[in-house]
Amino acid sequence: EPRINGVSMMYLALNRSKKSLAVNYLSAKGKQVIFDMIKNADVLVEQFRPGVMKKLGFGYEELSAINPKLIYVSITGYGQHSSKAMDAGHDLNYIAIAGALGITGTEDEIVIPGFQLGDIAGGSYMAMNAVTTALYQREKTGKGEWIDVAMTDAAVPFAALQFANYQATKENINRGEFELSGALANYNVYKCKDGKFVALGSLEPKFWNKFCTRVNRQDWSELFLLKGEQLDTLKAEVKELFLAKTRQEWLLYFKEDDICFTTINSISEMETDAYLNERKMFLENEHPSVGKYRTINQPLKFKQTNFDNNWAAPDLGHDSVNILLSLNYSESEIAELIKKAIIKSKT
């Protein structure tokens, strides 16, 4: 895990703009601190295996009794109630069962995605959907909700089109043979002369025809509709074409052409990409041990709300005292909790 002066950069990336309360929730007084927070909380998100929160005394029934308007979101791999509910798992297992992994790669090889599909889209994004939906529902009903988010379930829609195709044909599509996954010459990735890659997304005929005209190969225009040996020949010819120039030369060549053509960025190139910086997709934070560093911004742009107020990830217990003060604990009560190691404070 990469660190700067002992500080995990992954921790800083995942915990920006959060506050940290460090509390021994196994003690009676520590539990009471959590209960006091729950009284006015909107949302609680937890990711333990089913039953763990209840054993700790923080199950939905216990907390909703304290605050009936609480939105309680449980994120697990296999849901609260299933034959696999108590099984261990990771992102790889979730997308494997969901079908998303099985359709990724080539005929001879399954390729693990370069990102955590189940964790991010199945866990984080789906939890966000759950929270916003439940908050809207609460506005209408006045009641809270317990939402069961299974990352495996949330990964299933990534195979929606392939599943629909199977319903029609009752035949599996081999990896790399689905139209949007590498089967087509006009919707594919290509290596350039300098070893860098580009993405050609000319899926519709209007884009593909423009591409064919631009590279003086009008004879390719109808071939993308074919299958078998003729399609293989077309893909080989387009592949050979892109090897004739560097990536930058191709980007300049197609700069004015409306054909769905882009670079494929590496991580270092992504950080300096003009579009991503124009869209303010990176933020600069400062940490006392790390100094200034960049993190990825949240992707949603709100017209009337400013979310520019952000700060570096807190050290453990950084906000313990201020949070307890906001809950109307006295300074002497807080000092006693610190003395007895019920809470940890780092200010």
Side-chain angles (χ1 to χ4, degrees):
E1 182 183 357
R3 294 172 178 265
I4 296 179
N5 294 327
V7 178
S8 166
M9 295 308 293
M10 290 187 179
Y11 172 82
L12 294 184
L14 297 175
N15 292 282
R16 175 177 60 80
S17 301
K18 295 181 181 179
K19 294 182 179 180
S20 175
L21 165 66
V23 55
N24 177 6
Y25 53 79
L26 297 179
S27 67
K29 289 188 177 180
K31 278 186 168 62
Q32 188 56 52
V33 169
I34 301 296
F35 293 151
D36 289 337
M37 292 184 66
I38 291 298
K39 290 177 184 177
N40 295 309
D42 288 308
V43 181
L44 179 144
V45 179
E46 61 93 6
Q47 58 179 30
F48 291 105
R49 292 197 205 189
V52 172
M53 285 288 279
K54 188 171 183 63
K55 288 181 181 178
L56 295 174
F58 304 125
Y60 175 71
E61 292 80 6
E62 292 82 1
L63 299 190
S64 63
I66 297 172
N67 179 0
K69 292 187 175 183
L70 180 69
I71 307 300
Y72 190 108
V73 181
S74 296
I75 305 174
T76 59
Y78 306 116
Q80 296 295 303
H81 306 286
S82 74
S83 60
K84 294 184 67 62
M86 301 306 295
D87 289 1
H90 276 298
D91 180 281
L92 189 66
N93 307 112
Y94 309 147
I95 64 175
I97 292 176
L101 184 60
I103 59 176
T104 305
T106 64
E107 182 180 355
D108 299 322
E109 184 179 15
I110 290 178
V111 176
I112 299 175
F115 48 88
Q116 283 60 62
L117 187 74
D119 289 345
I120 298 171
S124 300
Y125 283 3
M126 197 56 67
M128 181 178 70
N129 288 337
V131 168
T132 53
T133 302
L135 288 172
Y136 181 72
Q137 176 179 275
R138 190 178 70 178
E139 289 296 308
K140 294 179 173 294
T141 66
K143 298 178 181 179
E145 182 61 279
W146 184 11
I147 308 173
D148 175 4
V149 177
M151 287 181 278
T152 301
D153 300 4
V156 171
F158 288 105
L161 295 180
Q162 291 86 341
F163 186 75
N165 185 89
Y166 175 76
Q167 293 304 304
T169 66
K170 296 305 177 184
E171 294 181 358
N172 279 315
I173 301 176
N174 293 328
R175 285 180 297 278
E177 292 185 2
F178 183 58
E179 285 80 357
L180 303 182
S181 302
L184 301 176
N186 54 311
Y187 194 85
N188 220 312
V189 296
Y190 292 101
K191 189 176 183 179
C192 301
K193 185 178 181 180
D194 55 356
K196 297 182 178 181
F197 289 83
V198 291
L200 177 66
S202 299
L203 185 62
E204 293 81 3
K206 65 177 181 179
F207 295 128
W208 176 242
N209 290 336
K210 290 179 183 178
F211 170 81
C212 295
T213 299
R214 187 73 175 90
V215 297
N216 297 315
R217 289 301 304 263
Q218 288 86 345
D219 57 307
W220 286 349
S221 291
E222 301 298 326
L223 297 181
F224 81 100
L225 296 170
L226 303 176
K227 293 185 178 181
E229 188 175 325
Q230 287 177 297
L231 178 56
D232 292 339
T233 299
L234 173 62
K235 290 169 72 173
E237 290 180 349
V238 178
K239 181 178 180 180
E240 184 178 359
L241 169 75
F242 277 105
L243 288 172
K245 297 178 184 292
T246 66
R247 184 180 66 179
Q248 186 59 31
E249 287 172 338
W250 281 120
L251 290 171
L252 291 173
Y253 187 82
F254 292 122
K255 185 177 182 180
E256 304 300 326
D257 297 297
D258 187 28
I259 60 170
C260 306
F261 181 79
T262 61
T263 181
I264 296 179
N265 283 330
S266 65
I267 294 297
S268 59
E269 290 167 337
M270 160 193 159
E271 184 180 16
T272 58
D273 184 90
Y275 165 81
L276 294 177
N277 281 278
E278 178 185 30
R279 293 290 292 174
K280 295 183 170 64
M281 283 308 302
F282 305 102
L283 292 172
E284 186 176 86
N285 285 124
E286 187 167 3
H287 187 274
S289 298
V290 173
K292 292 182 179 180
Y293 64 97
R294 300 186 87 191
T295 58
I296 293 176
N297 196 1
Q298 65 87 16
L300 303 179
K301 307 297 187 287
F302 290 77
K303 186 70 173 178
Q304 300 182 62
T305 307
N306 186 349
F307 289 102
D308 287 344
N309 182 26
N310 73 92
W311 57 90
D315 292 331
L316 183 65
H318 181 274
D319 304 287
S320 295
V321 171
N322 286 335
I323 289 174
L324 292 184
L325 287 172
S326 72
L327 296 175
N328 295 318
Y329 280 69
S330 67
E331 292 187 1
S332 60
E333 288 174 319
I334 295 172
E336 185 69 13
L337 290 172
I338 294 174
K339 181 180 179 181
K340 292 183 176 179
I342 303 299
I343 69 163
K344 179 180 179 180
S345 174
K346 185 174 183 180
T347 57

